[in-house]
Amino acid sequence: MTRFHELAEKFGTPTYVYDLNEVQAARDELLAALPEEFKLFYALKANPHPELVRALREGSGGRLHPEISSTGELAAGLAAGYSGEDFLYTGPAKTYGELHEAISKGVRKFSTDSVTDVQRVAAVAKELGAVAEILLRVNSSTASASTGIRMTGTPSQFGFDAEVLPEVMPELRAIEDVELTGFHFFPLSNAKDEESLIAEFQGTIALAAQLQADLGLELKFLDIGGGFTSPYGVPGVRGHYPKLRDELANALDTHFPNWRTNGPQLACESGRFLIGASGTLLASVSNVKVSRGRKFVILDTGINAFGGMSGLGRLLPVAVAVETGEKTERASLAGPLCTPGDLLGREIEVPIYEPGDTVVIPNVGAYGPTASLLMFLGRPAPTEVIVRGDEVVSVSRIEHERSYQVGSAAQ
């Protein structure tokens, strides 16, 4: 019996298992691939479990910080030991209530997407007697890499279109209670290879320098985004970036000659790379059936717990773990939900399963329960087991609870 089968037997299924050793190994690997002057932001949307966020913080030498876009993620980061000033708050729909809570808890750095976004941050900062640091998220008009998921270069709710920044700068400069400190770029996600990622970063750094000159804005902070790759739901290893450190330094030497001594403060960000390989999903086979010549292995979980960004299918299908020498067959992995869209894998190679067997899906530390259809059909959330090697650190489950307003008919 393997370690995963033992955990499935002990805690039941569906269960996510996250290994803190793997979390910290990924962090150390990525920090080593960047110039030491860089900070690294962890995007909590990948996985906000406080134990994982804490593991990323501990031993990072103060170089790893949380990037959030909700007060729920703020609470998770605070629970993991971060202070308010450590956070970068992003997102195109920051509300008054969210900003009030964030600023009152010490958050000062905000990535903004429009003039009205900056004005809203400023209004709340003024009310609370604070000065907010503003990064202008830039939606560039061109792209350097031809691979990965594009996050820029098209009409978008994210960021200021680069070509209109000169027009809106006078209005931005007139806003009080904020300080315009720099730019935030996030041009792509999950670059196919190191060359594509380097090309994107080189283009971003060049554009940042051009915008600084064109706008007359002294950059104190420059976040060039991410794009670091890691497999999702299939066997494999994280991306490898042996050239990145030197290539970033060369690009910065060209466009920001004094960057090592006079700034700007530089940053990258990552979600899946830092957390993806730490997680394994354990499910049980509920039934096996054949329909018109096709075999279906039906599991006790599906897109309600492993949705690939809310069941969109963008990151699926999965590939289950197959032991060396194990006999396999072609089958579809189906979940328990009453929708034909609840498929984790269509006609994939799997072991010859029988009801009661444990299915092991690797590399699912990112975009698991909180990126899934947890509330659909009222099924319980999966168990989440945190381990460090062979040691079980904690066991938890997200619980759903309906809260009624005072005076409602239910009362």
Side-chain angles (χ1 to χ4, degrees):
M1 181 180 289
T2 69
R3 167 174 169 260
F4 289 125
H5 288 81
E6 290 174 355
L7 291 171
E9 187 173 277
K10 183 173 183 179
F11 298 109
T13 59
T15 289
Y16 277 89
V17 182
Y18 308 115
D19 192 331
L20 299 183
N21 288 340
E22 177 58 38
V23 171
Q24 293 179 327
R27 177 203 63 201
D28 293 346
E29 183 178 323
L30 188 50
L31 286 174
L34 298 170
E36 62 185 15
E37 292 84 358
F38 271 71
K39 290 184 176 182
L40 180 61
F41 282 92
Y42 169 59
L44 266 74
K45 64 178 176 287
N47 192 325
H49 196 300
E51 294 275 11
L52 304 182
V53 182
R54 183 179 296 109
L56 286 168
R57 178 180 64 81
E58 294 174 345
S60 70
R63 291 181 64 192
L64 195 140
H65 297 264
E67 183 258 295
I68 61 172
S69 57
S70 72
T71 53
E73 291 180 341
L74 172 61
L78 293 172
Y82 281 106
S83 300
E85 62 269 18
D86 295 321
F87 290 82
L88 170 61
Y89 203 115
T90 71
K94 308 174 192 71
T95 67
Y96 169 85
E98 291 169 343
L99 289 169
H100 192 281
E101 182 171 350
I103 293 174
S104 67
K105 291 184 177 178
V107 179
R108 293 294 181 268
K109 193 180 302 296
F110 295 88
S111 172
T112 57
D113 299 88
S114 63
V115 173
T116 51
D117 195 14
V118 178
Q119 290 171 335
R120 187 174 293 113
V121 174
V124 179
K126 180 178 181 179
E127 180 181 331
L128 295 175
V131 176
E133 301 173 32
I134 297 297
L135 303 183
L136 305 176
R137 179 164 175 170
V138 179
N139 179 11
S140 64
S141 57
T142 60
S144 299
S146 58
T147 59
I149 300 172
R150 296 303 317 168
M151 298 290 289
T152 192
T154 60
S156 174
Q157 70 268 43
F158 301 112
F160 292 82
D161 294 341
E163 62 272 20
V164 305
L165 273 173
E167 301 174 21
V168 301
M169 280 305 295
E171 190 174 2
L172 290 171
R173 284 195 171 96
I175 300 173
E176 298 179 350
D177 302 294
V178 298
E179 181 183 4
L180 303 181
T181 59
F183 297 132
H184 175 204
F185 294 83
F186 196 82
L188 86 165
S189 177
N190 201 37
K192 181 179 181 180
D193 50 43
E194 185 181 30
E195 288 70 26
S196 297
L197 184 65
I198 288 172
E200 196 68 55
F201 283 155
Q202 289 169 333
T204 294
I205 291 168
L207 177 57
Q210 178 185 330
L211 286 174
Q212 175 181 239
D214 292 346
L215 302 176
L217 178 64
E218 179 186 357
L219 292 189
K220 297 181 180 179
F221 200 98
L222 175 59
D223 183 341
I224 63 174
F228 307 101
T229 188
S230 183
Y232 180 77
V234 296
V237 297
R238 295 184 298 272
H240 186 48
Y241 304 103
K243 302 175 184 177
L244 180 61
R245 185 184 182 105
D246 289 342
E247 293 293 345
L248 283 175
N250 291 338
L252 290 163
D253 286 340
T254 299
H255 298 286
F256 295 93
N258 300 315
W259 65 278
R260 291 181 177 85
T261 54
N262 298 332
Q265 172 62 64
L266 296 154
C268 285
E269 56 195 79
S270 177
R272 189 196 308 189
F273 182 96
L274 290 171
I275 216 79
S278 72
T280 304
L281 175 60
L282 311 180
S284 291
V285 177
S286 297
N287 194 16
V288 179
K289 63 168 289 187
V290 175
S291 174
R292 293 175 176 160
R294 288 180 53 194
K295 179 168 282 191
F296 290 83
V297 176
I298 303 172
L299 309 179
D300 61 356
T301 195
I303 59 175
N304 56 310
F306 182 56
M309 298 302 285
S310 300
L312 297 178
R314 184 173 71 180
L315 302 176
L316 304 181
V318 303
V320 302
V322 177
E323 301 294 332
T324 302
E326 193 171 22
K327 291 184 178 180
T328 63
E329 63 181 353
R330 304 288 291 182
S332 296
L333 292 182
L337 308 183
C338 53
T339 168
D342 191 18
L343 283 174
L344 298 186
R346 191 188 308 274
E347 290 291 298
I348 64 174
E349 202 72 21
V350 299
I352 300 174
Y353 287 124
E354 296 181 358
D357 286 347
T358 298
V359 176
V360 179
I361 302 174
N363 289 319
V364 292
Y367 305 119
T370 57
S372 302
L373 304 178
L374 276 182
M375 293 289 288
F376 191 48
L377 291 183
R379 298 184 71 87
T383 302
E384 294 177 277
V385 179
I386 306 294
V387 301
R388 188 180 293 279
D390 293 329
E391 174 194 2
V392 174
V393 176
S394 72
V395 181
S396 63
R397 176 185 284 119
I398 298 170
E399 297 291 349
H400 307 309
E401 181 177 300
R402 188 177 301 277
S403 177
Y404 288 93
Q405 297 292 319
V406 175
S408 70
Q411 298 297 315

